[in-house]
């Protein structure tokens, strides 16, 4: 196999040109084989094989830099930099990440995971290169989906000022920018990068120095000509040289265009057309399903493990659909995640009230604020990690005006295989700091339904955070009506009080069983609200329990436990309190169960901590 010759960075440069098509096919076969077992981002990686090979043959890594936007399309890059033998442990605890990681390789120049930041990061590297008098090439690779993010346009606006080389590759797999018109665009793309043209252009402007009116007339005629023939005039008008569009699966052409782009002494955009999922029919037909694929059967692409239990996203989907039927004010918003968040049914049933705003969470929140101001009841369904991008908009445009916007925060807590950039472990902390914000977390699938119904009828900003995956179906007999700021006592037995938030109620049930087997009595309360916390209830039970244990799948700093501790301190209560949560650190990739054990927030670790604390308390008596 040709792929056997690729064992370290630079090996791909030694592969004869006539063998590159076969190498591309072998890489695709390798990715399908490995990801059918481990899962991962398949469709996006199948679409960028030739592009990645061309980049590696045209650049000198690690001296040159490639910034991958989002980074979920970097698998071929990892293969070409000596990591193909690590793919059996892709996204597993202790294995390689599914995203670029500087700690893995010096060819990964920037840790990424969220979108629309590659141009900003690349531009910063270009400026650092020039300020330090160094000479290397910087390439930012951004997809057409990520180009919907406002940050990308802020960076493009700034990059237009450059008088030095910076290559931006637009990986377009949806034909989001119109095709070129005939051969004239290709001709102009080549002639603008030819040495003779560039030198002639510079000489003409130099000779006409001071002849402002003549220069402006030349520029006016040239721009009018280019606007008629060149599809990339949006970028040209910003001051960025545009090349393309070109076939992103023609490796030889890509190499040629990259060499041409390196000649331009300014920001240059190379527009590349690719096919998401290329080479594997199920992924070509269903690219969204194979964006972040679970393990699957190679023959037909069907998931290897059929889900038999409803996920929280399924519950959310059903309730939103019913709410849309009952209340014409209810609207749904997503930032390019309609399938992932469970809004597909709502979109199909109520297309006029469904809004996919693309990868632009900041806009989504302010757009929701505008809908609320206009009398609608918007629900913005968003992954916890991506909501972080809209921090300012939640404060300024929603909370400040006390508008009835519902934040349905999906993938809250530890999400597992995607690692540091995707763990949803900060939302309770940053949302709690905002005046007028209200925060709920359901203990099971029925409570998610009840909380969503409560939220769309609440006159103010309100957030519901729920985890990824299987919806807890326990505690079916406990379904007290939702009341603002009120907790739900479940088991009242004295002894230790387990005061748990959302997904940690299930864990608390198991902790209680472990301690009961050791003769330790435990009460258990479902906190329900993180803001406002149920102060009246907490103070009423504080003197009845020698130890209160708060449990949350969120960082401890600024979280629910800190609020309870602060309340007891302010009121002069001496009740011993233990806060269980995620320590002040970023959390790597791995299964949620593995990560919870590593962090000491699984049922066994918590039970051990409680037993040890009770023993210490007994020793002090």
């Amino acid at each position: 196999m040709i792929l056997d010759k690729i064992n370290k960075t630079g090996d791909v440069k030694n592969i004869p040109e006539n063998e590159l098509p076969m190498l591309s096919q072998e890489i695709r076969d390798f990715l399908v084989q490995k990801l059918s077992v481990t899962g991962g981002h398949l469709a996006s990686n199948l679409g960028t094989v030739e592009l990645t090979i061309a980049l590696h043959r045209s650049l000198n890594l690690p001296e040159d830099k490639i910034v991958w936007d989002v980074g979920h399309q970097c698998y071929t890059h990892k293969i070409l930099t000596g990591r193909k033998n690590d793919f059996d442990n892709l996204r597993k605890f202790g294995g390689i990440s599914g995203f670029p990681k500087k700690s893995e390789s010096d060819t990964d120049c920037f840790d990424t995971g969220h979108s629309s930041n590659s141009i900003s990061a690349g531009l910063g590297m270009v400026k650092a290169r020039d300020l330090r008098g160094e000479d290397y090439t910087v390439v930012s690779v951004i997809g057409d989906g990520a180009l919907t993010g406002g940050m990308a346009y802020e960076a493009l606006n700034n990059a237009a000022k450059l008088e030095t080389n910076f290559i931006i590759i637009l990986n377009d797999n949806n034909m989001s920018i119109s095709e070129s018109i005939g051969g004239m665009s290709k001709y102009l793309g080549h002639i603008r990068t030819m040495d003779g043209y560039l030198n002639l252009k510079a000489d003409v402007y130099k000779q006409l120095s001071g002849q402002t009116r003549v220069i402006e007339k030349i520029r006016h005629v040239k721009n009018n000509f280019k606007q008629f023939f060149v599809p990339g005039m949006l970028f040209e008008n910003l001051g960025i040289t545009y090349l393309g569009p070109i076939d992103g699966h023609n490796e030889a052409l890509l190499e040629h265009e990259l060499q041409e782009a390196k000649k331009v002494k300014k920001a240059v955009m190379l527009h590349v057309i690719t096919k998401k999922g290329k080479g594997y029919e199920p992924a070509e037909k269903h690219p969204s399903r194979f964006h972040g694929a679970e393990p699957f059967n190679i023959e037909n692409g069907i998931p290897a493990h059929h889900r038999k239990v409803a996920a929280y996203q399924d519950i959310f989907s059903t309730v939103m659909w019913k709410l849309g039927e009952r209340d014409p004010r209810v609207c749904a918003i997503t930032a390019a995640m309609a399938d992932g968040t469970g809004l597909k049914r709502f979109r199909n049933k109520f297309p006029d009230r469904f809004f996919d705003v693309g990868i632009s969470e900041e806009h989504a929140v302010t757009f929701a604020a505008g809908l609320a101001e206009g009398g609608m009841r918007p629900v913005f369904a968003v992954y916890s990690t991506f909501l972080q991008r809209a921090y300012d908009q939640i404060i300024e445009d929603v909370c400040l005006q006390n508008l009835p916007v519902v934040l349905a925060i999906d993938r809250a807590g530890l999400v597992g295989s995607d690692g540091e950039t995707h763990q949803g472990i900060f939302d309770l902390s940053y949302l709690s700091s905002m005046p007028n914000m209200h925060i709920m977390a359901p203990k099971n699938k029925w409570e998610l339904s009840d909380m969503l119904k409560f939220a769309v009828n609440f006159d103010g900003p309100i957030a519901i955070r729920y985890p990824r995956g299987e919806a807890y179906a326990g505690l079916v007999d406990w379904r007290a009506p939702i009341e603002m700021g009120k907790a739900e006592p479940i088991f009242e037995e004295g002894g230790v009080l387990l005061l748990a938030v959302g997904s940690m109620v299930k864990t608390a049930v198991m902790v209680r069983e472990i301690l009961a087997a050791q003769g330790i009595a435990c009460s258990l309360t479902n906190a329900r609200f993180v803001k406002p916390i149920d102060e009246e209830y907490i103070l009423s039970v504080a003197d009845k329990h020698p130890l209160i244990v708060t449990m949350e799948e969120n960082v401890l700093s600024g979280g629910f436990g800190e609020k309870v501790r602060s309340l007891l301190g302010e009121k002069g209560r001496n009740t011993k309190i233990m806060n269980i949560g995620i320590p002040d650190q970023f959390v790597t990739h791995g299964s949620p169960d593995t990560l919870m054990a590593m962090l000491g927030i699984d049922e066994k670790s918590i039970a051990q901590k409680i037993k040890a604390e009770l023993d210490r308390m007994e020793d002090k008596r």
Side-chain angles (χ1 to χ4, degrees):
M1 288 182 62
I2 300 171
L3 188 54
D4 291 337
K5 302 176 184 178
I6 307 294
N7 297 300
K8 64 181 184 303
T9 303
D11 281 354
V12 71
K13 293 186 176 184
N14 300 323
I15 305 299
E17 287 186 15
N18 66 324
E19 294 183 357
L20 292 177
M22 181 59 69
L23 175 63
S24 296
Q25 184 58 51
E26 289 181 6
I27 289 174
R28 286 192 169 92
D29 292 343
F30 176 89
L31 289 173
V32 171
Q33 181 67 44
K34 295 298 182 181
L35 269 64
S36 70
V37 177
T38 64
H41 292 93
L42 181 60
S44 55
N45 282 287
L46 293 176
T48 56
V49 174
E50 289 85 3
L51 173 59
T52 308
I53 291 173
L55 282 167
H56 277 251
R57 287 172 61 87
S58 302
L59 302 174
N60 294 313
L61 299 179
E63 289 80 12
D64 293 334
K65 315 295 180 187
I66 305 174
V67 185
W68 300 95
D69 207 286
V70 182
H72 61 299
Q73 75 282 57
C74 71
Y75 292 4
T76 301
H77 166 77
K78 295 200 175 199
I79 292 169
L80 299 180
T81 52
R83 286 173 272 181
K84 70 175 184 288
N85 293 332
D86 297 321
F87 268 71
D88 288 334
N89 292 312
L90 175 71
R91 306 194 324 146
K92 294 181 181 178
F93 185 70
I96 61 171
S97 170
F99 295 89
K101 282 285 177 286
K102 292 184 292 183
S103 59
E104 280 185 17
S105 170
D106 57 3
T107 62
D108 294 2
C109 69
F110 201 80
D111 290 359
T112 52
H114 287 193
S115 79
S116 311
N117 65 346
S118 62
I119 303 175
S120 297
L123 180 57
M125 292 178 187
V126 167
K127 282 297 185 181
R129 173 195 69 192
D130 295 348
L131 288 169
R132 293 169 62 88
E134 297 173 339
D135 183 21
Y136 56 84
T137 300
V138 178
V139 181
S140 292
V141 183
I142 185 169
D144 56 306
L147 204 62
T148 62
M151 186 177 177
Y153 291 97
E154 294 171 16
L156 286 170
N157 182 60
N158 199 212
K161 302 175 184 177
L162 280 179
E163 296 180 355
T164 186
N165 183 254
F166 174 33
I167 301 174
I168 303 165
I169 294 179
L170 172 56
N171 174 33
D172 178 4
N173 50 41
N174 270 320
M175 298 301 291
S176 58
I177 299 176
S178 59
E179 291 188 49
S180 57
I181 301 173
M184 184 57 70
S185 176
K186 181 177 180 181
Y187 169 76
L188 289 174
H190 284 296
I191 201 171
R192 288 203 307 276
T193 58
M194 290 173 56
D195 290 336
Y197 171 74
L198 293 171
N199 292 336
L200 175 62
K201 176 182 173 182
D203 288 344
V204 168
Y205 285 153
K206 183 177 181 181
Q207 292 296 324
L208 292 174
S209 178
Q211 304 295 319
T212 306
R213 293 182 63 185
V214 176
I215 291 175
E216 289 305 316
K217 285 184 178 181
I218 292 174
R219 283 178 173 156
H220 180 71
V221 172
K222 182 191 73 170
N223 288 338
N224 283 343
F225 184 59
K226 284 160 66 177
Q227 283 189 26
F228 185 76
F229 287 106
V230 182
M233 282 309 298
L234 167 65
F235 306 108
E236 290 278 355
N237 286 336
L238 280 171
I240 295 170
T241 298
Y242 172 88
L243 304 177
I246 66 168
D247 181 0
H249 301 297
N250 185 327
E251 196 280 333
L253 178 59
L254 285 165
E255 278 195 55
H256 173 75
E257 293 295 328
L258 282 166
Q259 294 301 333
E260 297 295 299
K262 288 163 72 173
K263 300 175 184 178
V264 180
K265 299 302 179 184
K266 58 187 299 190
V268 53
M269 175 170 283
L270 178 58
H271 182 186
V272 174
I273 304 296
T274 61
K275 184 175 182 62
K276 204 169 185 179
K278 182 174 175 60
Y280 181 54
E281 186 175 358
E284 288 187 9
K285 289 183 176 179
H286 306 284
S288 294
R289 180 150 58 87
F290 286 90
H291 172 74
E294 298 296 328
F296 58 91
N297 295 312
I298 294 177
E299 294 76 16
N300 51 28
I302 295 174
H305 309 294
H306 295 285
R307 192 176 69 218
K308 298 179 180 179
V309 180
Y312 278 103
Q313 292 71 33
D314 300 323
I315 306 301
F316 173 78
S317 174
T318 299
V319 178
M320 277 297 296
W321 179 72
K322 291 180 178 178
L323 288 172
E325 279 194 326
R326 297 172 189 170
D327 190 342
R329 300 176 303 163
V330 173
C331 297
I333 303 168
T334 180
M337 301 297 286
D339 289 346
T341 58
L343 285 176
K344 187 175 180 179
R345 290 177 68 188
F346 190 97
R347 177 190 64 193
N348 295 338
K349 182 69 174 178
F350 311 105
D352 292 342
R353 288 186 274 148
F354 170 81
F355 307 97
D356 186 343
V357 298
I359 302 176
S360 53
E361 290 82 4
E362 303 96 319
H363 163 63
V365 169
T366 303
F367 174 63
L371 281 168
E373 182 61 39
M376 305 302 287
R377 292 290 170 143
V379 178
F380 177 32
V382 58
Y383 291 3
S384 172
T385 183
F386 300 138
L387 184 62
Q388 295 162 188
R389 299 158 66 93
Y391 181 89
D392 179 69
Q393 286 73 23
I394 300 171
I395 293 177
E396 296 293 326
D397 301 328
V398 176
C399 290
L400 183 64
Q401 302 179 78
N402 202 27
L403 291 170
V405 170
V406 179
L407 301 176
I409 308 175
D410 197 347
R411 268 69 166 177
L414 296 168
V415 298
S417 300
D418 286 333
E420 294 97 327
T421 57
H422 283 63
Q423 309 289 11
I425 58 177
F426 304 104
D427 53 81
L428 294 184
S429 298
Y430 68 78
L431 289 174
S432 291
S433 68
M434 302 179 183
N436 292 332
M437 177 56 72
H438 306 78
I439 309 168
M440 300 183 289
K443 68 178 183 293
N444 59 22
K445 63 181 184 180
W446 296 286
E447 197 161 71
L448 173 58
S449 175
D450 295 342
M451 285 183 172
L452 190 55
K453 295 170 186 175
F454 178 87
V456 296
N457 289 296
F458 181 70
D459 291 322
I462 191 164
I464 312 169
R465 60 111 66 173
Y466 46 95
R468 179 182 189 176
E470 181 180 316
Y472 182 45
L475 300 175
V476 61
D477 295 328
W478 284 265
R479 196 173 180 178
I482 307 294
E483 296 182 60
M484 174 54 66
K486 293 299 181 182
E488 179 190 39
I490 297 175
F491 301 113
E492 300 179 89
E493 297 182 0
V496 178
L497 171 61
L498 304 178
L499 186 54
V501 174
S503 60
M504 293 300 282
V505 173
K506 176 183 177 181
T507 303
V509 170
M510 293 184 283
V511 170
R512 182 174 173 273
E513 291 173 355
I514 294 172
L515 292 175
Q518 301 176 45
I520 300 172
C522 284
S523 297
L524 193 162
T525 295
N526 169 26
R528 278 190 167 175
F529 283 85
V530 175
K531 185 179 182 185
I533 64 173
D534 193 341
E535 295 186 359
E536 181 181 0
Y537 171 77
I538 293 170
L539 293 174
S540 71
V541 298
D543 296 333
K544 301 176 184 177
H545 299 83
L547 176 63
I548 294 179
V549 181
T550 65
M551 299 170 58
E552 59 191 307
E553 202 172 338
N554 186 80
V555 292
L556 288 168
S557 179
F560 175 74
E562 280 196 357
K563 297 182 188 308
V564 176
R565 183 180 293 274
S566 176
L567 171 67
L568 294 176
E570 289 176 1
K571 301 299 182 181
R573 301 303 175 89
N574 296 320
T575 305
K576 186 71 177 179
I577 184 166
M578 177 187 294
N579 297 141
I580 300 294
I582 297 169
D584 186 21
Q585 67 183 74
F586 291 105
V587 181
T588 187
H589 53 277
S591 72
D593 288 344
T594 299
L595 297 178
M596 291 185 80
M598 178 194 76
L599 295 166
I601 61 171
D602 63 309
E603 65 272 15
K604 292 181 180 179
S605 299
I606 296 172
Q608 288 172 358
K609 290 178 182 179
I610 292 173
K611 179 63 166 60
E613 182 61 31
L614 291 174
D615 290 343
R616 281 192 294 268
M617 292 169 63
E618 184 64 29
D619 290 341
K620 290 181 180 179
R621 290 179 181 175

